[in-house]
Amino acid sequence: MEQLPISDYGFLSDCRSGALVGRDGSIDWWCPDRFDSASVFGRLLDPEAGHWRLAPIAAGLPGHRVERAYVADTLVLRTVHHTPEGSVAVTDALAAEFGARGHQLGMNSPAVLLRVVEGLTGRVRMSLDFRPRPEYGLLTPYLHEQPDGGVLAAAGPVLLALRTGGIPPHVDRDRVRQDFEVSAGQVVGFDAAYGQAYGTAPARLDPVTALAETVRAWQAYRESHHYDGRYPEQVRHSASVLTGLTYARSGAVAAALTTSLPERIGGDRNYDYRYSWLRDFAMTLRALWVAACPSEASRLFAWAARSIGRIGPEPVPVLFGVEGERDVSEYESHHLRGYAGSLPVRVGNDAWRQRQLDVPGEVIQAVWRLREHLGEAFDTELREMVLGLVEQVATTWHLPDRGIWETRDTDRHYLTSKVLCWVALDRAVALAPRLGDRADLRRWAAIRDEIRAAVLREGWNERTGAYAGAFGSADLDASVLLLPLVGFLPATDPRMRATIEAVERELGASDGLVRRWNTDPAGFLPCSFWLVECLAMAGERDRAEALFERLLGHANDVGLFSEQIDPRTGAQLGNTPQALSHIGLVNAAWRLTAPTTD
């Protein structure tokens, strides 16, 4: 199988999990139980790991053309296939619970994939190929034809019920194949419902009715959220993507839908991003506050506080499972061939074991952002969390760590790690009146000032005329663009201004893309959006706006961003859709709306 480009995939979500559907009509990724559960369709990572294709027989042949778009304010994807025989629309969604409105979206999702085929013109011959492979392709299910005309796929802990809208399915040993015709005006609904072999049975829904209900649920959700800034269409869509990456039951936001999509084709930096990172916490909260509403931000904060728990001597992990699991130990799936042959394929992420000194600063910055909402007197658990994090920073800030890029070689004194330690203490000093008698204001302020002096002294490199990525290094690192964004230095400070220019000059790639470091082969979208914010804060609004609009051009045809862009080809790289890229878009748009905002 020729691998589809990452940008050819559209994103479906029920706020429990998500699916990826290609322009060719094949659903190649679905982990139905929750974002980080095992896949039942995994062709994204191996041709034999399962898929569900529904498309014209003429798809891919001369005369076939595809148009697709999301139904307004939803993650319901409508794909129109134009063929020499006529045109047909396939509308795909993950079903919302019937009657779900507002913040109920995703709370009790039934885990059902909906696919509704509508004939538009002529008579189009269609082909269905349903080939589930649970456990990342390790299991081949038995297929049992049902009295109602459907097919039940059973293997290990998984049940999948396929219903084919009255079209008789043809079971071919380990897959369902069927060709059929659709005439103009004809509507045929299909669904695949997930259930547990020893638990919940697959839900039974009418696909056409359930699709209409899902559209209403998404649109009602978006109607309750308001954004009054610039680039409203892009911000609202990014807010929908962030909602789609939110595990509704806990409020956690997954970093991406996928695992092991490579940063470089054939490379080995292939990681599992289906977890929620504390590092992205403050930026995520800001984006949710801007583009969604305080309720989402508050639920995310509550999830983080509960996941962190009582602070002990061990470093707070940078990431957790979407229900707050701490141990997300990593292993390699050796039976999978990887996206475009890129190995290894990883499940789990061992970055949870690393010492990353920036994490407490991210959490305390989030507390600072929510300070008015949290009240003048913090409750006992919140107070203990903040006090524990501050003391951890006060006693460990001088140590080396792995940094925000989670290097897997050696610890270093990374500049942004030290700056986020400064943030932790700076915000804690401001929050001291809410922290009770144990707030050690004078000591915290002294350590904060010591950290600041160390960063200004050890982080500046005279030879390059810029702040470097680590103490004693001359290597540029785009993470230093965070310094103005967290208030460590103004963007107009002469040394900071020189650093911004050096990053733009030395790490810039085509179309405004910014690489993380000199040897990074691809443009990293979050850093590129940080540059937009820095330019706006430096008073260069015209340049910031021009850069922002160039970056918007790197979205795929349905407005989705992965993590990185190949500057030579424009191809999307890395896990997708990437929350931090969409967070960067929202925050940059708001900065261009109100450049003096926090």
Side-chain angles (χ1 to χ4, degrees), residues 194-217:
Y194 163 78
Q196 298 166 332
Y198 305 103
T200 306
R204 296 185 65 88
L205 301 175
D206 174 74
V208 177
T209 302
L211 180 67
E213 179 64 20
T214 300
V215 169
R216 284 193 291 269

Side-chain angles (χ1 to χ4, degrees), residues 80-201:
V80 178
H81 297 271
H82 300 282
T83 77
E85 303 169 320
S87 297
V88 64
V90 179
T91 304
D92 295 317
L94 277 165
E97 181 189 13
F98 190 84
R101 296 292 184 268
H103 298 293
Q104 295 175 325
L105 182 66
M107 290 296 185
N108 295 290
S109 298
V112 179
L113 269 170
L114 306 171
R115 314 199 74 178
V116 174
V117 179
E118 177 188 0
L120 301 178
T121 64
R123 290 181 62 86
V124 180
R125 291 176 298 160
M126 300 288 292
S127 176
L128 178 148
D129 184 7
F130 179 81
R131 193 176 185 230
R133 291 291 184 273
E135 295 280 331
Y136 302 108
L138 285 173
L139 294 174
T140 300
Y142 288 101
L143 301 180
H144 305 281
E145 295 190 52
Q146 301 298 292
D148 64 359
V151 175
L152 187 68
V158 173
L159 293 176
L160 279 180
L162 172 69
R163 285 176 280 269
T164 58
I167 296 171
H170 172 65
V171 175
D172 182 7
R173 194 170 180 272
D174 63 352
R175 66 205 304 169
V176 178
R177 298 176 185 266
Q178 190 61 49
D179 295 344
F180 59 98
E181 282 192 339
V182 177
S183 302
Q186 184 180 1
V187 176
V188 184
F190 300 81
D191 71 286
Y194 163 78
Q196 298 166 332
Y198 305 103
T200 306

Side-chain angles (χ1 to χ4, degrees), residues 278 307-318 320 326 351-357 359-360 384-385 387-396 399:
L278 292 183
S307 299
I308 291 169
R310 189 178 293 276
I311 307 297
E314 295 299 315
V316 175
V318 68
F320 293 88
R326 181 170 291 218
W352 77 273
R353 304 177 189 274
Q354 295 182 355
R355 178 170 63 236
Q356 298 185 20
L357 296 175
V359 173
E384 289 298 314
M385 181 185 77
L387 289 168
L389 290 171
V390 174
E391 284 305 313
Q392 194 170 95
V393 170
T395 57
T396 63
L399 298 174

